[in-house]
Amino acid sequence: MRVLVVFCHPSETSFGADLLHAARASLEASGHEVEVIDLYRSGFDPVLRPEEWDAYLSDTDRVIENVSGHVAALRWAEALVMIYPTWMYGPPAMLKGWMERVWLPGVAFDIPQGKKKRAMGLLTNIRSFAVITTSGSPWWWLRLIRDPGRSMLARGYRVLFHPRCRVRWLQLHDMNHTTPQDRERFLGRVAREMAGI
């Protein structure tokens, strides 16, 4: 399977980097073809500029050209894995900016045809979607506030993928208070889940 891994963390020595290594190693050992987009190391610009916004619907092809390599990777993928820390109840601004600039009309979705209709997904090539994340909050608190990051990605964006797309959500909670053993267990879980894609 062709797997696109999108990694978003400013530190190359973070636990997030360990998660990327574990996921990639497991995917490659399972025989998958893996492409990694490291948003920070690649210098991706997450800012949607006024000129892009002005052309967003009127000249979408021109906007797509600005991020053509990322669009090609997204269209190439049969599985998508996002690895990032949960900050302020959601993905980092860099990752959200990547989605805003790359998941464009004609790429990720078609504009709804009228009022009270939702966008139709175009990423039907993606049959497996996994999120690997950490958060400082305990699990019970995120459940109490309805887990906005998970709701956004696993529900809101899930509809853009293949109708039978399998979603895997791997989250290490209470990150600021984890032990080395907690982190090792989570790395093992990540490796097992990636082997099962």
Side-chain angles (χ1 to χ4, degrees), residues 8 82 84-97 99 133 148-150 152-153 157 169:
C8 185
M82 292 182 174
Y84 63 87
T86 294
W87 291 338
M88 304 300 289
Y89 304 126
M94 174 77 84
L95 181 55
K96 187 66 167 51
M99 297 180 78
T133 189
R150 184 174 188 166
M152 179 185 78
L153 289 170
Y157 286 95
W169 191 272

Side-chain angles (χ1 to χ4, degrees), residues 39-69:
L39 294 175
Y40 277 94
R41 256 56 64 196
S42 68
F44 181 78
D45 181 0
V47 178
L48 182 66
R49 304 282 175 202
E51 57 274 13
E52 286 184 320
W53 174 247
D54 291 342
Y56 192 82
L57 295 178
S58 63
D59 193 3
T60 309
D61 288 342
R62 183 163 56 91
V63 181
I64 291 171
E65 285 176 19
N66 294 339
V67 288
S68 59

Side-chain angles (χ1 to χ4, degrees), residues 91-168:
M94 174 77 84
L95 181 55
K96 187 66 167 51
W98 178 77
M99 297 180 78
E100 289 169 2
R101 290 197 63 217
V102 176
W103 295 41
L104 295 161
V107 175
F109 62 92
D110 276 332
I111 299 292
Q113 295 301 305
K115 289 183 179 180
K116 299 185 180 180
K117 296 185 182 290
R118 71 168 178 84
M120 298 305 297
L122 297 179
L123 294 174
T124 54
N125 50 298
I126 295 178
R127 295 174 168 269
S128 180
F129 176 51
V131 170
I132 302 169
T133 189
T134 58
S135 62
S137 298
W139 70 268
W140 64 266
W141 175 250
L142 291 179
R143 294 297 182 273
L144 185 67
I145 63 168
R146 301 201 174 140
D147 213 343
R150 184 174 188 166
S151 181
M152 179 185 78
L153 289 170
R155 291 185 182 170
Y157 286 95
R158 156 70 182 81
V159 299
L160 304 179
F161 305 143
H162 190 279
R164 291 191 298 276
C165 178
R166 175 158 182 205
V167 176
R168 292 172 173 85

Side-chain angles (χ1 to χ4, degrees), residues 3 11 19 28 40 68 70 77-78 91 96-97 106 140 148 167 174 178:
V3 184
S11 172
L19 292 171
E28 289 176 345
Y40 277 94
S68 59
H70 293 269
E78 296 170 305
K96 187 66 167 51
W140 64 266
V167 176
D174 287 310
T178 58

